[in-house]
Amino acid sequence: MAATTLQGKRIAFLAADGVEEIEYVQPRKAVESAGATVDLVSVEPGSIQSFNHLDQSKKYDVDVTVNKADADSYDALVLPGGVANPDFLRTDPDAVRFVRAFFDAGKPVGVICHGPWTLIEADVVRGRRITSWPSLRTDLTNAGATWVDEECVTDGNLTSSRKPDDLPAFCAKITQTFA
């Protein structure tokens, strides 16, 4: 069986301060190992502060700000979690527009943990089957989604997972669907 290749694919990772480090690093490593080029897109230039749960971890350099990023330039989007990260993103109109553009174009999107908060703000979860960190269940249900407690869920172009323990399944699935 041939390895999944993302050679020639360009993937956007949309994240802000408060991103859960492992939910950014592991999926990025997975798609880069499969040959993709990755850009870290954020609301401000410079760097973002990642966290390991509630403890500060490393900083990561931003490649492009979301107000200058063009969804048409990317083949797929990943929205890592962390509690603060999607809360910052969902209040930024450019971030919300950027996310919605991937859905409007039917491009694949991967989201994990608290990441779906940004999807709710972009109004792209209605009628979809999705999973997330359990505390988002009511938010997703109120936004019209069907929430399920499963390791990894794919509904059309959207792949979702609940938490860091789900990363092996999530990384394998996004690498497959992004190809």
Side-chain angles (χ1 to χ4, degrees), residues 7 25 45 54 66 111 163:
Q7 205 63 45
V25 172
L54 297 175
V66 71
V111 64
K163 57 189 173 184

Side-chain angles (χ1 to χ4, degrees), residues 47-119:
S47 63
I48 61 170
Q49 176 68 60
S50 73
F51 278 74
N52 179 4
H53 191 52
L54 297 175
D55 299 321
Q56 281 190 357
S57 191
K58 297 178 183 170
K59 288 191 174 200
Y60 293 92
D61 291 337
V62 172
D63 295 304
V64 61
T65 54
V66 71
N67 64 330
K68 293 181 179 160
D70 179 7
D72 291 338
S73 300
Y74 297 98
D75 298 294
L77 172 66
V78 176
L79 293 161
V83 178
N85 164 50
D87 202 44
F88 289 134
L89 295 175
R90 69 182 175 164
T91 62
D92 185 281
D94 292 318
V96 173
R97 267 193 300 278
F98 187 69
V99 168
R100 191 175 307 122
F102 282 85
F103 285 87
D104 290 348
K107 293 181 179 183
V109 175
V111 64
I112 188 166
C113 200
H114 289 79
W117 269 337
T118 310
L119 299 181

Side-chain angles (χ1 to χ4, degrees), residues 2-70:
T4 302
T5 182
L6 296 178
Q7 205 63 45
K9 300 278 186 179
R10 191 167 172 218
I11 315 294
F13 275 68
L14 179 60
D17 285 336
V19 68
E20 185 70 28
E21 183 174 33
I22 196 168
E23 294 173 3
Y24 168 64
V25 172
Q26 280 194 13
R28 181 175 179 142
K29 182 179 176 189
V31 298
E32 285 178 334
S33 294
T37 300
V38 171
D39 281 347
L40 175 55
V41 180
S42 193
V43 294
E44 298 288 336
S47 63
I48 61 170
Q49 176 68 60
S50 73
F51 278 74
N52 179 4
H53 191 52
L54 297 175
D55 299 321
Q56 281 190 357
S57 191
K58 297 178 183 170
K59 288 191 174 200
Y60 293 92
D61 291 337
V62 172
D63 295 304
V64 61
T65 54
V66 71
N67 64 330
K68 293 181 179 160
D70 179 7

